Amino acid sequence: MSVPDYAILGASHATISMLLETLRRVHPDGVRARIVRNTATDDPLPYETPGVETDVVDCGAIDLRVAVARGVRCICGVYKPTVKRAVFEFFEREHAMGIGSYASVVHPGVDVAATATVGAGAYLGPRVVVAPYAHLGDLVSVNRGATFGHHTVVGDRCTINPAVTVAGRCRLGDGVTIGMSASIVDGVTIGEGSVIGAGALVTKDVPPGVVAYGVPARVVEGQR
């Protein structure tokens, strides 16, 4: 039996560490992951994970279209929404890797309702809960212990940090970042590209392109 093969596009060491640990849990019999760098990095943090065969290649040293045709699954190796967008656009432009080339990586400890949906290239860490009829968009990153209520919609490239609670019927625009342990109450809309600070309690709608934090959350930086 062949070992499952992944290409991690981008080289954020912290993100890669999470991805490799989740791949180890998803494929306990062994998995291979090639980290495909599009920029140089001098980040000294380790990312090697027991049970996962890894190697690092520059983007010019691999033909991703051939690799995908042979069964390699691409995953996004960065976490910040703006960087995710840049990495996705780079590999789409240089290697024709559209969103259909990306696989989602879902930790075995995730609880996703049968009526919920998850887009391409998403990462869902341990103890994430996705309630009925919720939708998580493409290239969404969700860290451990986050929860999403019923009928909530999370846009593409959003980043949800640990222990975030998003209640039911919420709307998060593309590229939103929610800080650790923040809570979003029922029915709130957060505009595209906005950042919610750690520990915030969001009780009313947040416009696009702003930073908001506090209890209750208030906008502290205006339109960018």
Side-chain angles (χ1 to χ4, degrees), residues 80-103:
K80 187 177 180 180
T82 52
V83 181
K84 275 189 278 193
R85 180 169 188 165
V87 167
F88 172 75
E89 290 177 349
F90 174 87
F91 282 100
E92 183 178 43
R93 181 178 67 251
E94 301 295 329
H95 292 268
M97 294 293 103
I99 196 63
S101 303
Y102 287 76

Side-chain angles (χ1 to χ4, degrees), residues 115-119 130-138 140 142 147-158 160 166-176 178 184-185 187-192:
T115 54
T117 55
V118 178
V130 185
Y133 299 102
H135 171 72
L136 307 183
D138 298 334
V140 165
V142 184
T147 63
F148 301 90
H150 65 95
H151 297 89
T152 278
V153 175
V154 178
D156 298 341
R157 302 182 309 280
C158 289
I160 312 298
V166 183
R169 299 184 297 110
C170 293
R171 297 289 183 273
L172 276 60
D174 293 348
V176 163
I178 308 295
I184 319 299
V185 305
V188 162
T189 293
I190 298 177
E192 179 176 352

Side-chain angles (χ1 to χ4, degrees), residues 6 19 59-60 74 95 111 117 120 202 207:
Y6 291 84
L19 289 170
C59 62
C74 295
H95 292 268
D111 182 0
T117 55
V202 184

Side-chain angles (χ1 to χ4, degrees), residues 60-74:
I62 183 172
D63 190 329
L64 284 172
R65 284 173 290 187
V66 172
V68 169
R70 292 176 176 172
V72 172
R73 289 166 274 190
C74 295

Side-chain angles (χ1 to χ4, degrees), residues 29-54:
D29 295 328
V31 60
R32 183 184 185 199
R34 280 174 281 189
I35 299 159
V36 184
R37 299 186 303 185
N38 64 314
T39 58
T41 177
D42 57 1
D43 190 338
L45 293 174
Y47 56 81
E48 292 83 359
T49 301
V52 184
E53 177 189 347
T54 58

